[in-house]
Amino acid sequence: MLNAWSFNLAPQRTACEGKPRIPHLSPSRRRACVDHVMTALCISERRACQVLGQHRSTQRRIPTTPDDEVALTADIIELARQYGRYGYRRITALLRRAGWTVNKKRVERIWRCEGLKVPAKQPKRGRLWLNDGSCIRLRPERPNHVWSYDFVADRTHDGKAFRMLCIIDEFSRESLAIRVARKLKATDVIEALCELFVSRGIPAHIRSDNGPEFVAVALRDWIAAVGAKTAYIEPGSPWENGYCESFNGKLRDELLNGEIFYTLKEAQIVIENWRRHYNTIRPHSSLGYRPPAPEALVWPAPKEIVKMHSLN
């Protein structure tokens, strides 16, 4: 039977005087620990707090829940359901954009209390070292400085494969285009790049792996003719194309792994909608949790301009 003499209840201090004996727990768990000791050993609150290093004011404090806790929790759960692969940091950015004044610590507390899962962190990658000990990496310095592109493969519900050509701007992290087709050849890559060159200008460099579509003579000659330069990575080193590989991973993790495409047309529409969401809404961690290309409001709107001229 437990009693007050079953344990050594003499106050014991650590090397740092006044440091709590209870491990690093939340205040509610520390209060519960003190209550358990009081009940199990039939001792007073003063004695239990003295032994466990708990301040009596902390023990007697009645926790209060903010008035907006229920609404905030509901919004966090809804955002976690809508964006299943987002962590609490991106959820915090979305909440602030929606008008909530909340810090990430409070969102993290609610996130963990509700049992929501935080996605695993990306593994660390080493630098690119040459044989002579030097380090080389073409780093983007401005928009339209370095583009990169790569292929991603998936299948429709009937088992037929289709490919996606993903083109991104490494500096702004913007997804410039995702072309979806059953087959994509070097001529299709030239056509996709031509459309982007007309609308966005010609980049200084285009980074890619050594796939047959990217090393084709026709594609290399055409890129050189328009004034851009190719930047091929070392064979068998996909981490050298890290920006595009990271984007491909997000595309597969947040969209492709959770969607069943019954037709190629459906895949094209859904993937394009996700691309626009990625550019305009999705918080990007490397950009301070801001989207790569947020939508800009054009003021006044065209209809209002016509209306103003008609009134005049």
Side-chain angles (χ1 to χ4, degrees), residues 2 20 34 36 46 56 61 66 68 75 101 147 153 200 221 224 235 243 252 264 268 273 285 292 299:
L2 294 176
V34 173
H36 173 73
R46 181 190 300 272
R56 294 180 65 194
R61 181 179 181 274
D68 58 352
D75 285 357
T101 304
W147 290 4
R200 294 177 173 269
D221 293 344
Y243 293 101
R252 185 169 298 280
L264 181 64
Q268 293 173 344
N273 288 338
S285 57
W299 182 261

Side-chain angles (χ1 to χ4, degrees), residues 29 164 223 236:
R29 290 190 175 186
M164 292 158 279
I223 291 177

Side-chain angles (χ1 to χ4, degrees), residues 82-155:
Q82 186 176 359
Y83 308 109
R85 297 299 300 170
Y86 286 9
Y88 69 89
R89 292 181 179 86
R90 283 197 175 89
I91 296 298
T92 304
L94 293 176
L95 289 171
R96 290 172 179 172
R97 194 178 305 166
W100 283 96
T101 304
V102 62
N103 59 17
K104 66 179 182 180
K105 292 184 179 180
R106 184 182 178 189
V107 176
E108 182 185 9
R109 174 180 60 80
I110 299 175
W111 181 276
R112 297 188 183 279
C113 289
E114 295 297 326
L116 301 174
K117 183 180 178 181
V118 179
K121 292 184 178 180
Q122 180 181 358
K124 294 182 179 180
R125 299 292 186 184
R127 289 183 174 269
L128 310 180
W129 297 97
L130 298 181
N131 295 330
D132 59 357
S134 61
C135 180
I136 180 172
R137 176 173 291 174
L138 177 61
R139 297 183 180 275
E141 300 176 355
R142 59 187 183 277
N144 274 9
H145 181 210
V146 182
W147 290 4
S148 60
Y149 51 13
D150 197 6
F151 285 111
V152 179
D154 203 0
R155 295 180 180 272

Side-chain angles (χ1 to χ4, degrees), residues 2-9 40-43:
L2 294 176
N3 52 59
W5 307 104
S6 299
F7 301 94
N8 181 17
L9 294 181
L41 303 181
C42 300
I43 60 176

Side-chain angles (χ1 to χ4, degrees), residues 150-153 161-166 178-192 212-214 268:
D150 197 6
F151 285 111
V152 179
F162 66 88
R163 306 181 75 188
M164 292 158 279
L165 174 62
C166 302
I178 302 179
R179 174 159 293 202
V180 182
R182 293 293 182 184
K183 295 182 180 180
L184 290 171
K185 301 179 181 180
T187 54
D188 299 312
V189 177
I190 294 176
E191 182 181 349
E213 299 85 1
F214 300 138
Q268 293 173 344

